[in-house]
Amino acid sequence: MKKTTIQLPNGMIIGGSSLTLIAGPCAVESEDQILKTAQFLKNQGIRILRAGAYKPRSSPHTFQGLGEEGLKILSKARKETGLMIITEAMDPRDVPLVEEYADIIQVGSRNVQNFPLLKELGQAHKPVLLKRGFATTIKEWLLSAEYITHGGNPNVILCERGIRTFETATRNSLDLNAIPVLREKSPLPVLVDPSHGTGVARYVPPMSLAALAAGADGLMVEVHPNPAQALSDGEQSLDFTQFEALMALIKPLAQHLGRAL
Amino acid sequence: MKKTTIQLPNGMIIGGSSLTLIAGPCAVESEDQILKTAQFLKNQGIRILRAGAYKPRSSPHTFQGLGEEGLKILSKARKETGLMIITEAMDPRDVPLVEEYADIIQVGSRNVQNFPLLKELGQAHKPVLLKRGFATTIKEWLLSAEYITHGGNPNVILCERGIRTFETATRNSLDLNAIPVLREKSPLPVLVDPSHGTGVARYVPPMSLAALAAGADGLMVEVHPNPAQALSDGEQSLDFTQFEALMALIKPLAQHLGRAL
Amino acid sequence: MKKTTIQLPNGMIIGGSSLTLIAGPCAVESEDQILKTAQFLKNQGIRILRAGAYKPRSSPHTFQGLGEEGLKILSKARKETGLMIITEAMDPRDVPLVEEYADIIQVGSRNVQNFPLLKELGQAHKPVLLKRGFATTIKEWLLSAEYITHGGNPNVILCERGIRTFETATRNSLDLNAIPVLREKSPLPVLVDPSHGTGVARYVPPMSLAALAAGADGLMVEVHPNPAQALSDGEQSLDFTQFEALMALIKPLAQHLGRAL
Amino acid sequence: MKKTTIQLPNGMIIGGSSLTLIAGPCAVESEDQILKTAQFLKNQGIRILRAGAYKPRSSPHTFQGLGEEGLKILSKARKETGLMIITEAMDPRDVPLVEEYADIIQVGSRNVQNFPLLKELGQAHKPVLLKRGFATTIKEWLLSAEYITHGGNPNVILCERGIRTFETATRNSLDLNAIPVLREKSPLPVLVDPSHGTGVARYVPPMSLAALAAGADGLMVEVHPNPAQALSDGEQSLDFTQFEALMALIKPLAQHLGRAL
């Protein structure tokens, strides 16, 4: 099966021989937080910044994201650093706006079977990163991807982020088995999100290495200048020092695997 | 905790001392199918008809529902029989239209954390039946209900419909434990859907009785004139004869429980 | 399929038209505790006392049961009250001893696939109550029962006690779907344990009624003179007042269902 | 926390800086099968042979293992090749016999909470490899290990082998998150069994590499001279050619990780 490769405006190719590393905070909280993080990541060699402007939160009483203001902050970060931007769309009505600002549009775990959203993204002109639902089978996940590809947008990136099981030592159970299963059943690039997949910052490095060794095309990792103050997902976010340490592990493994960064 | 009661235009009260029985096919397939089913259900004493015009389907290649045409067929069934109509909205953009036709708006299992949809329904003027996600905890489910009630619409009905587990003998594992848990934590009416909760028509009667004995405020059951020909969910739909047999079991149990039908 | 019926020395029949109610504490803690409970249960019309002398405990540092001393206490309770005794065997080497004292030998959830134990019980001359494993499918559970029946002991009683899922509001998710599934696939009597199935004493009554309405042949319920002081499972044990209240709910339902107690 | 290291009679150390590779068929089927496999594995640089003489099988109607005859065949393989032997004990009564033949005693997934067996092994003089139960939390698993270590036998090796989830594309969901969790909570060596963890031979190589990259102390892999003819677990067993290919992947990764084989 010929693998799907996806080219970004900065020339990067996702799904090819290079690994794709995406990093950034869970949510856009302020211009300062984003610009500081973007500059740090650029210096680390990262070329794609993640951060949510629209946040799917279990409770209506918690921070819901900055909305369009958040998108503008991300746009400013791209202008200042040259980083590509990935950010989430939750509402089909927001897709045109998100598409205007983002280089890759993310679909979060809870929206993996939000079919009106998927149909809208089938008509978008930006690549879509489709996270696995925390309780969707791989088969259902691939059918959700088909809503986008058959809708006219072939540029879908799959991202395993852990499934819900009985285990409580971790927030989710990262299902790395999904990597070889997807390789066999789909041409789409496969990334892994060890931050949601474990829910614990100190478990992110070993699971990042595991994902790459299993053959993932890259990683999406949560990084925050001050995880203890993060408005969401602080427990699973790396601080800058931890992220540098992670990069020091990833680089030699990537070289061993023969994959450029 | 004072229970929430919800009054429908035909005078029915959901969440009061009477039981609420909702029945009908998974999807609106044709006018003939709906009118025939509605007439049958009316004769059985049922006062609310269920059927989907917008269908969330795992695959983009299967029947996706008749859309507004389906809503019009449901409207005709109401006019001819006096049955109240419950039907699903999947897309926040469809809420005004669905609200125009429906007496109760349903949120399906896959959309339990579709927050833009929930926010839109918080501003609707019709009651909302919120199905449990197949992998949401009761706590998350109640937070999703809060998106609607705190948004301004107090009329939310909860519907347990089975959770995803390792067991494969049934389509889902009907979690009747949810009934006493919800009674303790929420004032909202609680219905049970034994059709999705088992996935097997012949298991629907015993689980219907179990749900009522556990204290549910009512049931939502799939009925189809010809389940073998149904475009979706045929395996779990009762035919008319089976539904009559179910009613013959429910009536004496309701009387035993001191709850009118 | 002709249902298996099992006759006890006191003339009771399990799996026939009468319901079987089993009650008692999780563990034998003292002679006083057991005799007091047995006397209370007898006055409530209960005819089978449950209590463990050998306790499977997750941690080696917690109470492990009184062993043979516990069996002797149970024997004394039978002598004083005429109640039949059900108690657990964990070790194949203990089967002859447990068999000597018990009227029914229980296999706990963690031992459902302890095949040497099941083989030993296939040669025992007492009925065996086989609890479902908290993560065994119904199919696997029935194969475990076959280890006993094909080994030469046809008198197996199945007991659903909840399965492990992602839900945390209850200790386990009571899978009442198992009742109709088992009815279809097996002739063996089916009991339900709502105490382990919920893990919360106040959820036991509604789930007891649900189990009977779904067609269970009876219940096994944890009762303790002072649940707050119980050495194990206190949170899910009913005290005497709560058990009386439960009986006041069960009796009219049993009558409604046409099943004697 | 000082890591536990376990020395075998051939001088190997498990849990030290070297990786431990265990391989062999699911079950001892014949002398020819075992001797052939042992010779092949020796040539591949493997120093520990796995194969079960006592087999826990879901159904009583399938192959149950050769028992003591199987142990004798394993003993012969050790004599001919110098490989160390790991084999399973299921019944506490068999522990002395298994201990006589084995260099490491295995406890299978279904027996992780078979407490009489664990207590017996606490008094054994051979190391014990304790597989994770397919539905036990990491916390419960470590408590089971304590039954052995507190019983007097400090030489316990943990082996992750996949947990039961809703996913059906693989036999189990290999929970590699367990590796960093265990590192933090326990000094015991941690191996991974990618054969049971996936249930599919062609997924074994990527998951083997993932396990090592995540920090596992080694692997246990099923190998069979002719998987299509295996009496159990054929689908997940590698043939000799596939195993050689796996070794060609493991060797450079081990070198990269700085761990000898």
Side-chain angles (χ1 to χ4, degrees):
Chain A
M1 188 158 25
K2 194 181 169 301
K3 277 186 70 178
T4 298
T5 54
I6 297 170
Q7 185 162 352
L8 297 188
N10 67 350
M12 285 182 71
I13 289 174
I14 301 176
S17 59
S18 297
L19 293 177
T20 299
L21 300 185
I22 301 174
C26 176
V28 181
E29 297 173 359
S30 71
E31 187 174 310
D32 179 61
Q33 169 231 25
I34 289 297
L35 296 183
K36 203 170 159 184
T37 306
Q39 198 56 59
F40 164 75
L41 292 173
K42 187 185 180 181
N43 295 342
Q44 292 293 313
I46 298 300
R47 300 177 69 192
I48 308 179
L49 173 69
R50 64 149 287 159
Y54 299 95
K55 297 302 306 170
R57 303 302 305 280
S58 298
S59 165
H61 312 302
T62 52
F63 176 61
Q64 303 275 314
L66 296 183
E68 189 172 0
E69 188 197 333
L71 296 177
K72 286 177 179 164
I73 293 172
L74 290 170
S75 183
K76 190 166 181 188
R78 175 173 43 207
K79 206 170 165 189
E80 293 206 358
T81 61
L83 291 181
M84 299 283 94
I85 300 297
I86 175 169
T87 194
E88 179 163 354
M90 292 165 60
D91 188 326
R93 295 169 297 194
D94 293 335
V95 169
L97 189 68
V98 172
E99 185 175 16
E100 205 177 297
Y101 286 96
D103 299 296
I104 305 172
I105 307 171
Q106 177 175 324
V107 177
S109 190
R110 291 174 183 81
N111 285 310
V112 70
Q113 295 192 316
N114 182 335
F115 303 117
L117 179 64
L118 300 180
K119 286 179 178 174
E120 198 72 28
L121 292 166
Q123 299 181 31
H125 299 87
K126 294 283 173 67
V128 175
L129 181 141
L130 180 66
K131 285 195 149 192
R132 182 179 184 177
F134 56 69
T136 45
T137 61
I138 294 171
K139 190 177 173 184
E140 290 168 336
W141 185 17
L142 288 175
L143 286 170
S144 287
E146 285 193 25
Y147 269 93
I148 305 170
T149 54
H150 288 242
N153 183 350
N155 295 319
V156 177
I157 304 153
L158 301 169
C159 182
E160 160 65 29
R161 46 77 74 205
I163 57 174
R164 187 163 272 189
T165 69
F166 61 83
E167 178 57 65
T168 54
T170 48
R171 183 178 179 188
N172 292 288
S173 296
L174 189 63
D175 181 16
L176 294 182
N177 279 355
I179 299 173
V181 176
L182 290 170
R183 281 283 172 264
E184 200 172 81
K185 297 184 191 298
S186 169
L188 300 173
V190 179
L191 303 189
V192 169
D193 170 354
S195 305
H196 285 86
T198 61
V200 181
R202 62 193 181 277
Y203 302 156
V204 168
M207 299 316 288
S208 296
L209 301 180
L212 297 179
D217 291 303
L219 300 171
M220 179 149 78
V221 176
E222 290 195 341
V223 183
H224 191 282
N226 187 350
Q229 302 296 318
L231 296 180
S232 54
D233 285 355
E235 295 214 355
Q236 70 196 36
S237 295
L238 303 181
D239 65 22
F240 290 176
T241 308
Q242 292 166 327
F243 188 78
E244 272 193 77
L246 173 62
M247 287 302 289
L249 295 168
I250 287 176
K251 282 174 187 168
L253 181 62
Q255 194 169 11
H256 168 74
L257 297 169
R259 301 190 77 165
L261 283 178
Chain B
M1 186 159 23
K2 194 178 169 302
K3 278 185 67 177
T4 299
T5 54
I6 296 170
Q7 186 162 351
L8 298 187
N10 68 350
M12 283 182 72
I13 289 174
I14 300 176
S17 60
S18 297
L19 293 176
T20 299
L21 300 185
I22 300 173
C26 176
V28 181
E29 296 172 359
S30 70
E31 187 175 309
D32 179 61
Q33 169 230 27
I34 290 297
L35 296 184
K36 201 170 159 185
T37 305
Q39 198 57 59
F40 165 73
L41 292 173
K42 186 185 180 183
N43 295 341
Q44 292 293 316
I46 298 302
R47 299 177 68 190
I48 309 179
L49 173 69
R50 65 149 286 160
Y54 299 96
K55 297 302 306 170
R57 303 303 303 282
S58 299
S59 166
H61 312 301
T62 53
F63 176 61
Q64 303 274 315
L66 296 183
E68 189 172 0
E69 188 197 332
L71 296 177
K72 286 180 178 161
I73 292 172
L74 289 170
S75 183
K76 190 166 181 188
R78 176 172 44 206
K79 204 169 166 188
E80 292 205 358
T81 61
L83 291 181
M84 299 282 93
I85 300 298
I86 175 170
T87 196
E88 180 163 353
M90 292 165 61
D91 188 326
R93 296 169 296 194
D94 293 334
V95 169
L97 189 70
V98 172
E99 184 175 18
E100 203 177 298
Y101 286 97
D103 299 295
I104 305 172
I105 306 171
Q106 178 175 324
V107 177
S109 190
R110 290 175 183 80
N111 285 308
V112 69
Q113 294 192 315
N114 182 335
F115 302 118
L117 179 65
L118 300 179
K119 286 179 177 173
E120 198 73 28
L121 291 167
Q123 299 180 32
H125 298 88
K126 294 283 172 67
V128 175
L129 182 140
L130 181 65
K131 287 196 149 189
R132 181 179 185 178
F134 56 70
T136 46
T137 62
I138 293 172
K139 191 175 172 186
E140 291 168 334
W141 185 17
L142 287 174
L143 286 169
S144 287
E146 285 193 26
Y147 269 92
I148 305 171
T149 55
H150 288 241
N153 183 350
N155 295 319
V156 176
I157 304 153
L158 301 169
C159 183
E160 159 66 28
R161 48 75 76 204
I163 56 175
R164 187 164 274 189
T165 70
F166 61 83
E167 178 58 63
T168 53
T170 49
R171 183 178 177 187
N172 291 288
S173 295
L174 189 64
D175 181 15
L176 295 182
N177 279 355
I179 299 173
V181 176
L182 290 171
R183 281 283 173 261
E184 200 172 82
K185 297 186 189 299
S186 169
L188 300 173
V190 179
L191 304 190
V192 170
D193 170 354
S195 304
H196 286 85
T198 61
V200 181
R202 61 193 184 276
Y203 302 155
V204 168
M207 300 317 287
S208 296
L209 301 180
L212 297 178
D217 291 305
L219 301 171
M220 179 148 78
V221 176
E222 289 194 341
V223 184
H224 191 283
N226 186 349
Q229 301 296 319
L231 296 181
S232 53
D233 284 356
E235 294 214 356
Q236 70 196 35
S237 296
L238 304 182
D239 65 22
F240 290 176
T241 307
Q242 291 166 326
F243 188 78
E244 273 193 76
L246 173 61
M247 288 302 289
L249 295 168
I250 288 177
K251 281 174 187 168
L253 180 63
Q255 193 170 14
H256 168 73
L257 297 169
R259 302 190 77 166
L261 283 179
Chain C
M1 187 158 23
K2 194 177 169 300
K3 278 184 69 178
T4 299
T5 55
I6 296 169
Q7 185 161 352
L8 297 188
N10 67 350
M12 282 182 73
I13 289 174
I14 300 176
S17 59
S18 298
L19 293 176
T20 300
L21 300 185
I22 301 173
C26 176
V28 181
E29 297 172 358
S30 70
E31 185 174 311
D32 179 61
Q33 169 231 25
I34 289 297
L35 296 183
K36 201 169 159 185
T37 305
Q39 198 56 59
F40 164 75
L41 291 173
K42 187 186 181 181
N43 295 342
Q44 292 293 314
I46 298 301
R47 301 177 68 190
I48 309 178
L49 173 70
R50 65 148 286 160
Y54 299 95
K55 297 302 305 171
R57 303 303 303 281
S58 299
S59 167
H61 312 302
T62 53
F63 176 61
Q64 303 275 313
L66 297 182
E68 188 171 2
E69 187 197 333
L71 296 176
K72 286 179 178 162
I73 292 172
L74 289 170
S75 183
K76 190 165 181 188
R78 176 173 43 207
K79 204 170 166 188
E80 293 206 0
T81 62
L83 290 181
M84 300 282 92
I85 300 297
I86 175 169
T87 195
E88 180 164 352
M90 292 165 62
D91 188 326
R93 295 169 296 193
D94 293 334
V95 168
L97 189 69
V98 173
E99 184 174 19
E100 204 178 298
Y101 287 97
D103 299 294
I104 305 173
I105 307 172
Q106 178 174 324
V107 177
S109 189
R110 290 174 184 80
N111 285 309
V112 70
Q113 293 192 315
N114 182 334
F115 303 117
L117 179 64
L118 300 180
K119 286 179 178 173
E120 197 73 27
L121 292 166
Q123 299 180 33
H125 299 88
K126 294 284 173 68
V128 175
L129 181 140
L130 180 66
K131 286 196 148 192
R132 182 179 183 178
F134 57 68
T136 46
T137 61
I138 294 172
K139 190 175 171 185
E140 289 168 337
W141 185 16
L142 288 175
L143 286 169
S144 286
E146 284 193 27
Y147 269 92
I148 305 170
T149 55
H150 287 242
N153 182 351
N155 295 319
V156 176
I157 304 154
L158 301 169
C159 184
E160 159 65 29
R161 48 75 76 205
I163 57 174
R164 187 163 274 189
T165 69
F166 62 82
E167 178 58 62
T168 54
T170 49
R171 184 178 178 188
N172 292 288
S173 296
L174 188 64
D175 181 16
L176 295 182
N177 279 355
I179 300 173
V181 176
L182 290 170
R183 281 283 173 263
E184 201 172 82
K185 299 186 189 298
S186 169
L188 300 173
V190 179
L191 303 190
V192 170
D193 170 355
S195 304
H196 286 85
T198 62
V200 181
R202 61 193 184 278
Y203 303 156
V204 168
M207 300 317 287
S208 296
L209 302 180
L212 297 179
D217 291 306
L219 301 169
M220 179 148 80
V221 176
E222 290 195 341
V223 184
H224 192 283
N226 186 349
Q229 302 296 319
L231 296 180
S232 54
D233 285 355
E235 294 214 356
Q236 70 196 36
S237 295
L238 303 181
D239 65 21
F240 290 176
T241 308
Q242 291 167 327
F243 188 79
E244 272 193 77
L246 173 61
M247 288 301 290
L249 294 168
I250 288 176
K251 282 174 188 169
L253 181 61
Q255 194 170 12
H256 167 74
L257 297 169
R259 302 191 76 165
L261 283 177
Chain D
M1 187 159 21
K2 194 180 168 302
K3 277 187 69 179
T4 299
T5 53
I6 297 170
Q7 186 162 350
L8 297 189
N10 66 349
M12 284 182 72
I13 290 174
I14 300 176
S17 60
S18 298
L19 293 177
T20 299
L21 300 185
I22 301 174
C26 175
V28 181
E29 297 173 359
S30 71
E31 186 174 308
D32 178 62
Q33 169 230 25
I34 290 297
L35 295 184
K36 203 169 158 185
T37 306
Q39 198 56 58
F40 164 75
L41 291 173
K42 187 185 180 182
N43 295 341
Q44 293 293 315
I46 299 301
R47 300 176 68 191
I48 309 178
L49 173 70
R50 63 149 287 159
Y54 299 94
K55 296 302 306 171
R57 304 302 305 280
S58 299
S59 165
H61 312 301
T62 52
F63 176 60
Q64 304 274 314
L66 296 183
E68 189 171 1
E69 188 197 332
L71 296 175
K72 286 179 178 162
I73 292 172
L74 289 170
S75 183
K76 189 165 182 189
R78 175 174 43 207
K79 205 169 165 190
E80 294 206 357
T81 62
L83 291 181
M84 298 282 93
I85 300 297
I86 175 170
T87 195
E88 180 164 352
M90 293 164 61
D91 188 325
R93 296 169 295 195
D94 293 335
V95 168
L97 189 69
V98 173
E99 185 174 17
E100 204 176 299
Y101 287 96
D103 299 293
I104 306 172
I105 308 172
Q106 177 175 325
V107 177
S109 190
R110 292 174 181 80
N111 285 310
V112 70
Q113 294 193 314
N114 182 335
F115 303 117
L117 178 65
L118 300 179
K119 286 179 178 173
E120 199 72 28
L121 291 167
Q123 299 180 32
H125 299 88
K126 294 282 172 70
V128 175
L129 180 140
L130 181 65
K131 287 197 149 191
R132 181 178 185 179
F134 56 68
T136 46
T137 61
I138 293 171
K139 191 176 172 184
E140 290 168 336
W141 185 17
L142 287 174
L143 286 169
S144 287
E146 284 193 26
Y147 269 92
I148 304 170
T149 55
H150 287 242
N153 183 350
N155 296 319
V156 176
I157 304 153
L158 301 170
C159 182
E160 160 66 27
R161 46 77 75 206
I163 56 174
R164 186 164 275 190
T165 69
F166 62 83
E167 178 58 63
T168 54
T170 48
R171 184 178 177 186
N172 292 288
S173 296
L174 188 64
D175 182 16
L176 295 182
N177 279 354
I179 299 171
V181 176
L182 289 170
R183 280 283 173 262
E184 200 172 82
K185 298 185 190 299
S186 170
L188 300 173
V190 179
L191 303 189
V192 170
D193 170 354
S195 305
H196 286 86
T198 61
V200 181
R202 62 192 182 277
Y203 303 156
V204 168
M207 301 316 289
S208 296
L209 301 180
L212 297 179
D217 291 305
L219 301 170
M220 178 149 78
V221 176
E222 290 194 341
V223 184
H224 192 283
N226 186 349
Q229 302 296 320
L231 296 180
S232 53
D233 285 355
E235 294 213 356
Q236 70 196 37
S237 296
L238 303 182
D239 63 23
F240 290 176
T241 307
Q242 291 167 327
F243 188 78
E244 273 195 76
L246 172 62
M247 287 301 289
L249 295 168
I250 288 176
K251 282 174 188 170
L253 180 62
Q255 194 170 13
H256 168 74
L257 297 169
R259 302 190 76 166
L261 283 179

